[in-house]
Amino acid sequence: MNRRTDIEAAVRAAAPHALLATLRTRLSSAYGALAVELHLADYGLRVLTSLDRPDDEPLSLHNSPEGRAFGSQEPREQQVRHDDAVDHHLPVTVRGERLGILTVRLPQTLSTPELIGELTHVADLLGHEILVAERDTDLYQRARRTTRLTLAAEMQWQLLPARACTAAEFAIGAQLEPAYAIHGDNFDWAADADELTLAVTNGMGEGIQASLLTNLAVNALRNARRAGIGIADQAALADQALYDQHRGASHVSTLLLRFELATGRVGVVDAGSPQLWMQRGREVRRIELEAQLPLGMFEESQYTVQELHVEPGDRLLLLSDGVYEAVSPLGEAYGERALARAIQSTRLLPAATVPRAMLGELAEYRGTETLDDALVLCLDWFGRPEDRDVA
């Protein structure tokens, strides 16, 4: 057994709360590591927090070596002052979901490209094991918090699939604000060999009531999707579940999209307030959809699917009303022109970082970091490899 497989076996066998301690011991003995640290991205995607030193000052995602490695998703080296050693900052990422940074300090003489390649594999392994371990321990979720989540926000974050996902055909990034006090907005996705389904939901009301409403809607949509039902019937069944519970007194706005991965054909059901925007080349435009009733408003509502088509290189953005209806301190509406500028200004960023960048611009426009519920989901469409060759 070589040292990499030995480390992999040890980490997989470690207790859920002991992944870093196990890795620290193994990297010290196998690679001569002088120190091993793990920093996780917080819920707001603003800082990196230490896993086992919670009292340490969080590291900036923008102005620290670790933050730059997180942003670039490339290993970075940092010479240790007054010591013949190098810190290697390695992204911990799982299928596009950026969890944090693993930092391994090595003697200068041991810092070879081959060894860094092996440590990059170790960082990938750690990411996968953290996601598995989170079923059994709160350690990693506690470490991501710079302040306490509201109960409504706790419910919403537990409902999410992830904040990013990559595949051969697409890349997704999404973010909610205010991250520690969100209540009604949510997003969901699921992909298999043939299709990708996206959903953006916004439960009416505030606090726990909005979160409970969204939880019911998302789980009703998932239940229908997992039964192999199309998006129109997914909407109809979720609509019925909400109406049965609230008799029309509460409703959920929803935007559903289903992508055929082989063709780029997209079916859309617009059942409420979320908007869909497209960037194709330098053109940015809102896609006008057939507005249908929000879920739960009336008994036995029927929904129809609108057809679109995406091409390799297209970017789609799904936005909640907390984004496009935002106002400045002077009462000026954010509006479509400002939104189009924000989309253009982030066009060179990868999908995973677009939502946080756009929500940051929105906060500046509002003049405060405190937002109404706001959601941005960005999807970059690559298409199947054969389609990209043709394009």
Side-chain angles (χ1 to χ4, degrees), residues 204 209 213 216 238-252 294-301:
M204 67 176 289
Q209 182 59 38
L213 194 61
L216 177 57
D239 169 76
Q240 190 61 49
L242 287 161
Y243 186 84
D244 288 347
Q245 184 70 26
H246 298 283
R247 312 308 295 179
S250 298
H251 61 265
V252 173
L295 306 183
M297 184 170 285
F298 297 105
E299 189 172 15
E300 296 184 355
S301 299

Side-chain angles (χ1 to χ4, degrees), residues 45 160 162-164 172-177 182 185-187 189 199-201 274-275 277 315-324 334 339 342-343 346 351-362 371-379:
L45 288 176
L160 298 176
R163 284 190 292 199
I172 302 172
Q175 178 66 8
L176 303 169
E177 289 290 350
I182 195 77
D185 284 5
N186 204 276
F187 56 83
W189 60 68
V200 167
T201 52
Q275 290 186 358
W277 287 67
R315 168 170 286 179
L316 296 179
L317 293 114
L318 287 67
L319 312 168
S320 72
D321 56 4
V323 177
Y324 61 82
Y334 194 56
L339 186 52
I343 295 172
T346 58
T353 62
V354 168
R356 182 68 193 96
M358 288 186 62
L359 289 169
E361 289 192 24
L362 181 65
L371 299 172
D372 294 333
D373 269 18
L375 179 158
V376 176
L377 186 151
C378 176
L379 178 138

Side-chain angles (χ1 to χ4, degrees), residues 99-128:
L99 301 180
I101 291 293
L102 177 69
T103 298
V104 181
R105 178 170 294 180
L106 295 174
Q108 179 79 55
T109 54
L110 298 181
S111 297
T112 65
E114 292 77 16
L115 190 146
I116 303 311
E118 291 190 26
L119 291 179
T120 300
H121 172 82
V122 169
D124 290 340
L125 166 69
L126 179 61
H128 284 272

Side-chain angles (χ1 to χ4, degrees), residues 86-229:
V86 178
D87 282 342
H88 297 277
H89 305 302
L90 309 162
V92 179
T93 301
V94 182
R95 294 191 177 92
E97 171 76 336
R98 303 177 178 199
L99 301 180
I101 291 293
L102 177 69
T103 298
V104 181
R105 178 170 294 180
L106 295 174
Q108 179 79 55
T109 54
L110 298 181
S111 297
T112 65
E114 292 77 16
L115 190 146
I116 303 311
E118 291 190 26
L119 291 179
T120 300
H121 172 82
V122 169
D124 290 340
L125 166 69
L126 179 61
H128 284 272
E129 291 305 307
I130 287 173
L131 294 187
V132 174
E134 284 184 334
R135 300 179 307 180
D136 302 309
T137 179
D138 289 335
L139 175 66
Y140 306 101
Q141 295 195 36
R142 281 201 304 267
R144 294 191 183 104
R145 303 174 187 210
T146 58
T147 188
R148 184 174 177 177
L149 292 175
T150 65
L151 178 54
E154 186 82 50
M155 294 167 66
Q156 293 295 69
W157 282 105
Q158 290 302 307
L159 195 60
L160 298 176
R163 284 190 292 199
C165 179
T166 59
E169 300 88 354
F170 61 84
I172 302 172
Q175 178 66 8
L176 303 169
E177 289 290 350
Y180 291 85
I182 195 77
H183 39 80
D185 284 5
N186 204 276
F187 56 83
D188 195 26
W189 60 68
D192 58 27
D194 301 315
E195 65 182 46
L196 164 71
T197 301
L198 297 180
V200 167
T201 52
N202 178 10
M204 67 176 289
E206 298 182 354
I208 295 295
Q209 182 59 38
S211 184
L212 287 170
L213 194 61
T214 298
N215 266 259
L216 177 57
V218 170
N219 280 294
L221 289 168
R222 286 176 176 172
N223 180 254
R225 185 187 72 218
R226 290 165 182 169
I229 295 171

Side-chain angles (χ1 to χ4, degrees), residues 247-312:
R247 312 308 295 179
S250 298
H251 61 265
V252 173
S253 296
T254 301
L255 183 59
L256 285 168
L257 290 84
R258 176 189 173 275
F259 295 76
E260 290 184 0
L261 299 182
T263 65
R265 291 176 58 191
V266 188
V268 185
V269 173
D270 179 5
S273 61
Q275 290 186 358
L276 178 63
W277 287 67
M278 174 183 282
Q279 181 169 26
R280 178 170 288 171
R282 288 190 167 272
E283 179 191 8
V284 175
R285 64 184 177 91
R286 179 186 171 190
I287 297 178
E288 297 292 340
L289 298 169
E290 178 187 347
Q292 301 177 70
L293 293 172
L295 306 183
M297 184 170 285
F298 297 105
E299 189 172 15
E300 296 184 355
S301 299
Q302 299 298 312
Y303 296 91
T304 59
V305 177
Q306 183 174 345
E307 297 289 338
L308 304 173
H309 188 270
V310 287
E311 300 175 357

